[in-house]
Amino acid sequence: QITLKESGPTLVKPTQTLTLSCTLSGFSFSTSEVGVGWVRQPPGKAPEWLAIIYWNNDKRYSPSLKSRLTITKGNSADQVVLTVANMDPVDAGTYYCVHSTSATGDGLDVWGQGATVTVSS
Amino acid sequence: QSVLTQPASVSGSPGQSITISCSGSSDDVGGYVFVSWYQQHPGKVPRLLIYDFKSRPSGVSARFSGSKSGNTASLTISGLQPEDEAQYYCSSYTATSTWVFGGGTTVTVL
């Protein structure tokens, strides 16, 4: 069973950098055609796709946020890290780690429980 | 403002069929088969319902079906049930090799 678990701060100050980690289990990130990404959702609003990193280390970023986002594989094989620079109150919301595979057309077939982030001084 | 346009709300009575549209452009919905649909109940995590605009992951009811014509994708829920009351979001692959979501549709079962 594939599971994803997000971890990171619940509160960051404006202009700070947010660092979120996603711990993966139940699959190998070295498996071809697998991707792990991030989606965020402000309260009461639609999800917003942020970034994805693939098994081959290929990375994609939302064009509107590209300058502020960095996605990497963590120090361990079962971790993916997202950093969001220069946080602003509009960046508050729930940040989800997501799994995708070509087997389901790169649809986001597994979601973590989400990490709620507040941005306030 | 979302790149993909969905109606804000759709409603129907139990047993009826409803259709949710997702309008984009040739740079997203119209250009790729990679259109997904997600269901989200209040306070819950989104769940993948449809991928490749018409395929269902295992475990998803056959009452959910997807289609696509030109720049518009659609999700149809047949035999509407009370538990179908939720938010529904479409998502599409784009010409920049990224993904976008629609603004969401609230489905109400009357």
Side-chain angles (χ1 to χ4, degrees), chain A residues 31-45:
Chain A
T31 302
S32 184
E33 311 290 343
V34 167
V36 175
W38 291 88
V39 171
R40 72 180 181 183
Q41 187 171 29
K45 296 188 177 182

Side-chain angles (χ1 to χ4, degrees), chain A residues 20-111:
Chain A
L20 293 171
S21 296
C22 177
T23 301
L24 328 172
S25 66
F27 72 102
S28 170
F29 204 3
S30 61
T31 302
S32 184
E33 311 290 343
V34 167
V36 175
W38 291 88
V39 171
R40 72 180 181 183
Q41 187 171 29
K45 296 188 177 182
E48 179 181 17
W49 187 91
L50 297 179
I52 193 166
I53 184 167
Y54 292 100
W55 86 102
N56 60 359
N57 213 39
D58 189 18
K59 304 171 187 178
R60 297 283 184 262
Y61 296 100
S62 165
S64 63
L65 293 166
K66 185 174 184 177
S67 64
R68 298 174 52 208
L69 300 176
T70 304
I71 190 169
T72 59
K73 294 182 181 179
N75 293 330
S76 61
D78 64 351
Q79 200 175 55
V80 170
V81 177
L82 176 77
T83 64
V84 185
N86 194 23
M87 289 288 285
D88 182 272
V90 300
D91 296 313
T94 301
Y95 284 71
Y96 294 102
C97 181
V98 293
H99 170 275
S100 77
T101 168
S102 61
T104 51
D106 285 332
L108 307 176
D109 60 344
V110 182
W111 295 58

Side-chain angles (χ1 to χ4, degrees), chain A residues 39 41 45-49 52 54 60-63 96 102-109 111-114, chain B residues 2 34 36 38 40 44-48 50-52 57 89 91 93 96-104:
Chain A
V39 171
Q41 187 171 29
K45 296 188 177 182
E48 179 181 17
W49 187 91
I52 193 166
Y54 292 100
R60 297 283 184 262
Y61 296 100
S62 165
Y96 294 102
S102 61
T104 51
D106 285 332
L108 307 176
D109 60 344
W111 295 58
Q113 285 302 303
Chain B
S2 301
F34 305 119
S36 305
Y38 300 86
Q40 186 178 32
K44 301 297 185 182
V45 175
R47 170 198 177 202
L48 179 64
I50 297 287
Y51 66 93
D52 286 354
Y89 299 99
S91 180
Y93 188 71
T96 56
S97 302
T98 58
W99 290 79
V100 289
F101 281 91

Side-chain angles (χ1 to χ4, degrees), chain B residues 18-110:
Chain B
I18 61 170
T19 297
I20 303 167
S21 60
C22 172
S23 296
S25 71
S26 58
D27 285 335
D28 38 69
V29 174
Y32 307 93
V33 298
F34 305 119
V35 175
S36 305
W37 288 90
Y38 300 86
Q39 177 192 58
Q40 186 178 32
H41 289 104
K44 301 297 185 182
V45 175
R47 170 198 177 202
L48 179 64
L49 289 180
I50 297 287
Y51 66 93
D52 286 354
F53 81 87
K54 65 177 182 180
S55 298
R56 281 188 310 276
S58 61
V60 172
S61 171
R63 297 187 301 105
F64 295 94
S65 62
S67 62
K68 189 166 80 83
S69 177
N71 297 336
T72 299
S74 299
L75 174 71
T76 297
I77 308 175
S78 305
L80 199 61
Q81 297 182 0
E83 58 264 34
D84 298 331
E85 194 161 283
Q87 282 288 120
Y88 292 82
Y89 299 99
C90 63
S91 180
S92 174
Y93 188 71
T94 77
T96 56
S97 302
T98 58
W99 290 79
V100 289
F101 281 91
T105 298
T106 300
V107 168
T108 302
V109 181
L110 302 172

